[in-house]
Amino acid sequence: MKQYLKAKGNSVEHVDALHRNSDGRKWTFMEKLLLGLTPKEYLQQALKNPFNWILAVIFAIGIPIMIGRFIFGLSWVTHSSCDYPWGLFLGFGLFAMVPLSSSGFQLGTACEVFGRHDLEPIERLALLNGLLGYFFAVMFLLFDLGQPWRLPYPMIVAFGPAAVLFLVAWHVATYLSVQIAEVSQGFFEWMGWPAGKKAVRKITLGLTVSGIILSTLHQGALGALFTYAPGKVHPLWYSASFQWLHFFVSSIPGGLCMVIVVSTIAAKTMSWRFDDRFKTNLDKLTISLAKGATMGLATYLTIKLIGVAHDNKWEYIATGWGAWYVAEIMFGVIAPLAIFTYSIKNGKVGLIRFGAWLTVLGVVLNRLNTAMITFNWRLPEREIPHWREAIIAITLYSVYIVTYRFILYRLPIFYKFKTVEVPVEATAGVRETVSLIEENDLPDAACAKESISLSGRRLSGIETAN
Amino acid sequence: MRTACTWIMLAIATVTITLSLPQKAAAIPDKIDIGSLEALYKKVNFDHAAHIKTIYDCAVCHHHTTGALVTDPNCVRCHKTSNPTKDVACRNCHRKDPFSADVMNEKLNPNRYHNDIPGLKGAYHQSCLGCHKKMNGPTGCQDCHKRKPEGDAMFNAGEFAPKKPAGKGHGGH
Amino acid sequence: MKRRDFLKGCLMCSAAAAVGTGSKAQAAGSFEGYPDAMGVLVDLTRCVGCRSCEAACNKEQRLPEPDVPFDDTSVFEEKRRPTERAYTVVNKYETGQGEPVYRKIQCNHCNEPACLTSCFVNAYTKTKEGAVIYNPKICVGCRNCMIACPFNVPGYSYSSAFNPVVKKCIFCHDTRLKNGRPPACVEACPQEVLTFGKRADLIKLGHERIRETPTRYYDKIYGEKEVGGTGWLYLSSVPFDKVGFDTTLQNEPIISNVKDFLGMVPMVLAIWPALFTGVHLLSTKNKDGHDDHDDSHNGTGGH
């Protein structure tokens, strides 16, 4: 899309209101879906994007294997190991994606509960990031479960309330609904259903508070899952008293930095979708998020060390596993912590973004270490996932990226949806006027006034907040 | 005088031995067919006489029951001066069904010392195999009892051996 | 109104969850098994590695044909574990002191099983007879039990596409134990390595054996205390870590590790809503109302 727009100049009108700027006609649903382009144009821009070709290759290989998993069973795509029952699907898909999705509850809390309205421009991105992360974590789970069609069983058929996984199941399910409700505001705006938005708006505080509860509990619960396997998780990654805290606290910088990472990628690839409010605030928002992440990282580092000290596990640091542990902490926690501290002070947003990448990778590495790499550390051999398992994981992650991009292109995440009533003048013969748009070059002028007044208000709002 | 005495004593001894031996010999079987595992194995033709000749000491297998001197420090505590008992055969004390409700209830009797008596099968194998190992006797399962086809089926051996090549397929490692 | 209803709903949920998890957390660790639970004392000093138990288990549980016959001793070249195709396996350990030691592995039927407490659909049951049995009809296949089992026992029939289930020793519960009969392996064992009886009696018996012949035994019954006690108990001539046992296991049931977290749950459920709604009221008090950001979010004030 970016390259297509570059080629076309500013001749394409973006869907950013219910009505077209050029002629005031309501956008049809189809037009909204196609980003205001004709099907032919849409296809053109899609084919022009080299990333789509990479995706096409991934899907061509991956989707048949995905289907095969459900026809031939798990033994076809995994090593069917009894010692390593959880492979990439859970080790990466569930345990790494969920902490990176904690952004939703954090910014929800900051904006809705603590009244930090200066963070609002990025709140929607954070909520969406949360929703998609959770949703795809559940998708990964469906690939991993032996009998995925029984996923609702813990809700309706049989209850194991003592199990941590029971909490996780209930909390993820309820939290997913909460997040759908939170994100649905943007969807209602986009669809032009103000009543729906109003209804959700009314329960926002309730949704947000329940979001905090559910997040605290199940981020922690994912950690607590490993307290069932005290002898299998390496002592350096295990702590009976602190495991849930480690997982919960590391999810805080994880989620915040994931938002920075996504916004960084978006700034590179879809800045056409940003409105001025987002564009002008992005650097400042990035710094705010990094501040939060720094606090999170510092806390995490502290309790990680307390965890080691509490059970007196220092002797393990001197082993090979210990070196790996130190590497994880150095690159995933201490390095970003130092980078953030320096760059926040000096306003180096580029460095912050680099630090955010490190943090995200650090959290992923921590989860992979706990669930897979150091799991069964006392067994003689380590298990390398089957190649089909890896391909399914890559494919599913690509589906996640595509879905993410699809929504960011359309719903008002990076921009505000203008609900101002434009008088409807021409309804007939609209098709013929389409060609006129290009000549008129209207959108910029029409938007300008609003944007200016808006960003002015925004700025003053920030000042008062500070 | 002395020679006369010796002769008399010798005569008495001979009489007692000749009187007692046939009596005892009648109770000691030379061959025993052990068929308690007949469902899977052919009977074991146990050559009792040959074992007596080799080991001589009855207590090795029959504990204190034959009146022979026991040496095990645990057994000596009570059976130092035990007389021969009425029941000598293995099956009389070692039960064929050691885990049946009756036998398990018997064991619960607090006045009973021997509440850890192996079952008949366990007693045979522990005793025979244990000694065979020490004395370099045959120790393979089929050295003593040949499997019947039913036994082959149980062990997936012989004509019931797995057809497919080993080591294929998933599961385990 | 709506918000209040929602919060009320939240609180009720929390209360319910708090009750549920709280009572369980308290119960954890105090359960020492059913008084009449049966068990098996495995005396490794008697085992000769004939694999009769494996054969008997295979037939009793109608498991798939083995890769090699059950009288083939080549399997001892590697260390095996129970799988979906074999609920029990015997491994051979050269201890450097005379005869090798053979060790039979199967589900140990814990007093407070980790598989049971980790299962979110309660597919496992500890029966009053002492068996830990499994309900394949409700298992979702998350395999958390396999993660949780400290003895690495449960296997999973990965190769089944439409009905994969956990496969593990169930103490022959359905066919034998329930009717007061010992499991098939116990009956098949020629050496009476396996002694079937009430767990409480077996512990006495085990200690008695050690006392009577201290030179024969290492002075410990494995499973008497491990992870809260197991129904299957082991005697050995050598220290247990020499024959593949995990001697680092805790004496508390596995669930006790999770208690810290479970105990925290009701607190979060009860305190968070009040705390955060309070903070919200405090931090937005001076503004024009609770929804002061609403109009700004609506773009140019559409209403």
Side-chain angles (χ1 to χ4, degrees), chain A residues 154-155 160-175 214 217-222 224-225 228, chain C residues 17-18 20-21 118-120 258 261-266 269:
Chain A
M155 319 283 167
V164 171
L165 204 62
F166 184 74
L167 283 181
V168 176
W170 269 93
H171 290 175
V172 169
T174 28
Y175 190 43
L214 296 168
L217 287 179
H218 77 249
Q219 293 283 2
L222 286 181
L225 273 182
Y228 280 111
Chain C
T21 50
S118 71
C119 180
F120 72 158
V258 193
F261 174 73
L262 290 179
M264 189 271 303
V265 172
L269 287 169

Side-chain angles (χ1 to χ4, degrees), chain B residues 50-128:
Chain B
H51 281 83
I52 294 174
K53 262 188 212 149
T54 321
I55 306 166
Y56 197 73
D57 182 2
C58 301
V60 169
C61 298
H62 289 281
H63 316 295
H64 60 88
T65 55
T66 55
L69 193 67
V70 289
T71 49
D72 186 304
N74 265 316
C75 309
V76 166
R77 287 189 286 165
C78 299
H79 295 295
K80 199 174 177 183
T81 56
S82 277
N83 294 320
T85 54
K86 199 171 84 215
D87 296 329
V88 177
C90 306
R91 63 176 178 279
N92 291 333
C93 294
H94 297 283
R95 308 285 296 264
K96 225 176 159 177
D97 48 356
F99 303 117
S100 65
D102 296 346
V103 179
M104 295 217 296
N105 282 335
E106 272 174 35
K107 286 183 187 171
L108 290 180
N109 181 355
N111 296 323
R112 183 187 161 117
Y113 174 76
H114 285 298
N115 59 0
D116 192 14
I117 298 177
L120 185 59
K121 182 168 62 170
Y124 278 141
H125 283 96
Q126 285 173 30
S127 185
C128 301

Side-chain angles (χ1 to χ4, degrees), chain A residues 44-124:
Chain A
Q44 262 178 359
Q45 67 84 19
L47 292 177
K48 238 180 199 167
N49 188 344
F51 185 61
N52 285 345
W53 287 101
I54 299 173
L55 288 173
V57 173
I58 293 175
F59 291 151
I61 301 168
I63 289 175
I65 295 179
M66 279 178 158
I67 296 168
R69 176 257 172 270
F70 290 104
I71 296 172
F72 305 118
L74 275 169
S75 63
W76 191 66
V77 294
T78 71
H79 287 310
S80 318
S81 170
C82 294
D83 286 328
Y84 293 85
W86 290 347
L88 271 180
F89 298 154
L90 292 192
F92 171 73
L94 184 75
F95 289 106
M97 284 192 78
V98 168
L100 299 182
S101 311
S102 70
S103 56
F105 98 87
Q106 292 184 68
L107 284 179
T109 312
C111 296
E112 310 295 339
V113 178
F114 295 140
R116 282 287 299 271
H117 300 310
D118 57 314
L119 295 173
E120 247 164 49
I122 210 159
E123 185 192 356
R124 288 239 174 120

Side-chain angles (χ1 to χ4, degrees), chain A residues 82-257:
Chain A
C82 294
D83 286 328
Y84 293 85
W86 290 347
L88 271 180
F89 298 154
L90 292 192
F92 171 73
L94 184 75
F95 289 106
M97 284 192 78
V98 168
L100 299 182
S101 311
S102 70
S103 56
F105 98 87
Q106 292 184 68
L107 284 179
T109 312
C111 296
E112 310 295 339
V113 178
F114 295 140
R116 282 287 299 271
H117 300 310
D118 57 314
L119 295 173
E120 247 164 49
I122 210 159
E123 185 192 356
R124 288 239 174 120
L125 176 64
L127 291 175
L128 179 70
N129 182 60
L131 172 61
L132 288 180
Y134 276 93
F135 182 76
F136 277 89
V138 174
M139 290 296 117
F140 271 105
L141 181 66
L142 289 179
F143 273 87
D144 186 76
L145 287 178
Q147 309 209 24
W149 46 90
R150 289 182 179 175
L151 186 61
Y153 273 28
M155 319 283 167
I156 46 173
V157 177
F159 309 106
V164 171
L165 204 62
F166 184 74
L167 283 181
V168 176
W170 269 93
H171 290 175
V172 169
T174 28
Y175 190 43
L176 254 180
S177 352
V178 166
Q179 286 188 309
I180 288 172
E182 286 177 330
V183 172
S184 67
Q185 290 189 46
F187 177 70
F188 288 137
E189 284 175 14
W190 186 72
M191 289 300 290
W193 295 341
K197 189 192 163 183
K198 240 181 194 166
V200 176
R201 194 73 226 162
K202 277 203 178 118
I203 55 164
T204 300
L205 183 63
L207 288 176
T208 310
V209 172
S210 55
I212 307 171
I213 300 169
L214 296 168
S215 290
T216 320
L217 287 179
H218 77 249
Q219 293 283 2
L222 286 181
L225 273 182
F226 287 99
T227 54
Y228 280 111
K232 299 182 188 175
V233 180
H234 188 278
L236 286 173
W237 281 269
Y238 174 84
S239 163
S241 334
F242 291 96
Q243 196 79 8
W244 69 270
L245 266 175
H246 287 162
F247 269 55
F248 172 64
V249 174
S250 60
S251 79
I252 290 173
L256 293 177
C257 289

